[in-house]
Amino acid sequence: MSGGTGAARARWSRRGFVGALGAVAAGGALAACGDGSPGPGPASPSGSSASAGRDGSAGSSPAATPAASSTGTPAARPLFLGTYTSAEGGGRGIGLAAYDPVSGRITGAGTLTGVDDPSYLAVHPDGRTLYAVNERERGSVTAVRIADRKILGSRPTGGAQPCHLSVHPSGRWLLSADYGSGTVAVHRVGASGALGERTALVRHTRPAPGPGQQGPHAHQVVTAPDGGHVLAVDLGTDTVYSYRLDDGAGTLTEVAQARTRPGAGPRHLTFHPGGRYAYLADELDDTVAVCAYDPVTGRLTVGAPQSTGSGTRKGAGANYPAQFAVSPDGAHAFLANRGANTLARYAVEADGARLRLLGTVPVAGDFPRQIALAPGGRLLFAANQRSGTVSVFHVDPADGGLRRAGEPFASPVAVCALPL
């Protein structure tokens, strides 16, 4: 983690950070966020805090230990930050931080080194293990035990440049998408959270990619709310593939394909809590779409293109929508716009079947690659790749309004922010 230091800016010790993470793991279900009231001040950049090595050992920076106050103030929550270690000015591994669930203030806590190009992160449903892609030509995925930050090992994906991963709700399977090779992999997850051998590898070969899309590019893989189907979004083939997952063998069988408009370049799909609709961000043509989902067949039906609110056109100043986040109650959806550098806000209507654009707010950073809501949905985090910052917003549950929670937090080549 990079940024300035200050005498009054306390940093976490390994003991304090692990204590907070241990509380999350022991609790299983994540606690809700605070009431969204303004905090004591802006979020600050991290200091020159110590790193944890490949064996999970920690550095020796002195620090303060966060804890709940005698007045019952919520304790700080863990925040993990993804980056590109191979990029100029990039990070040295997975960024370790914490955030105040009321004010949104972020405090840096060092770096977990020994994980190359961890551009996307996910956590096991039991809260005990963190997973990262290693977005390199020979792709792999890595497991990290949260309690002591011990790296549990890596496994090859069998493809190139993995850019997304997710854990099946059963906790038994890790799913990953390889952008460079257009492949999707499944790995078995052991009782300890460590990864076993790969059980499946599927390659997107049909339909043929459109002009200028240079082959298949699997950009995301996610389990549908029914738990039995896995959906893979491929930017290069303008297709969302539906697979049935064999929960015993960890294999994938294709059951349906959903085509977007040619050249749309679908990037990221986010389900509504009701499980019958999902929202698709199309990177290349700067549109979004509401998709109907059939949990019986796993079939997705892509709706008509809608505005991202970017107000930009192709060429100079083009916009590339990144991903949606949907509020836990399903009433609002938020979209990261790279290029316009805004967050679009939508009202979700008709039990998920309609999106109505309410407006946009500046993200206070450059190129928001990824967004995430904290548990409870009262805080939204945006990882801004080009400015190397993480912006935090309070979310008004009544109307989905976004209010910035202080100044952005400095984090080198920030491409993923995972609040627990």
Side-chain angles (χ1 to χ4, degrees), residues 87-279:
E88 182 178 356
R92 295 182 293 114
I94 298 172
L96 307 174
Y99 68 96
D100 185 308
V102 176
S103 70
R105 181 188 179 99
I106 299 176
T107 303
T111 303
L112 175 64
T113 59
V115 184
D116 297 328
D117 289 321
S119 64
Y120 206 89
L121 309 171
V123 69
H124 192 280
D126 68 11
R128 299 177 186 274
T129 311
L130 179 72
Y131 300 97
V133 299
N134 306 117
E135 193 172 338
R136 298 205 161 184
E137 190 60 31
R138 298 182 65 179
S140 59
V141 285
T142 297
V144 178
R145 188 166 61 209
I146 289 178
D148 59 2
R149 293 179 284 168
K150 179 179 177 60
I151 295 176
L152 301 177
S154 300
R155 294 284 186 175
T157 63
Q161 300 166 350
C163 63
H164 185 270
L165 81 172
S166 59
V167 187
H168 187 268
S170 69
R172 298 179 59 190
W173 312 104
L174 183 73
L175 316 168
S176 56
D178 295 303
Y179 180 85
S181 53
T183 50
V184 172
V186 182
H187 286 83
R188 190 180 300 275
V189 177
S192 68
L195 297 172
E197 295 292 335
R198 188 175 64 242
T199 58
L201 181 67
V202 296
R203 187 178 303 274
H204 299 155
T205 58
R206 58 185 179 87
Q213 286 175 288
Q214 290 97 32
H217 295 302
H219 218 305
Q220 182 204 21
V221 58
V222 62
T223 304
D226 61 82
H229 295 97
V230 169
L231 283 78
V233 181
D234 196 297
L235 181 148
T237 61
D238 292 324
T239 302
V240 180
Y241 301 82
S242 293
Y243 297 95
R244 181 169 293 281
L245 173 69
D246 185 319
D247 197 41
T251 54
L252 297 173
T253 302
E254 184 180 315
V255 295
Q257 293 183 8
R259 300 296 309 278
T260 67
R261 294 193 307 170
R267 175 187 175 92
H268 199 282
L269 185 79
T270 303
F271 275 91
H272 183 269
R276 301 303 298 263
Y277 297 95
Y279 312 112

Side-chain angles (χ1 to χ4, degrees), residues 286-312:
D286 189 19
T287 64
V288 299
V290 177
C291 304
Y293 175 72
D294 183 349
V296 176
T297 64
R299 182 175 296 277
L300 194 76
T301 302
V302 180
Q306 295 183 224
S307 173
T308 64
S310 68
T312 62

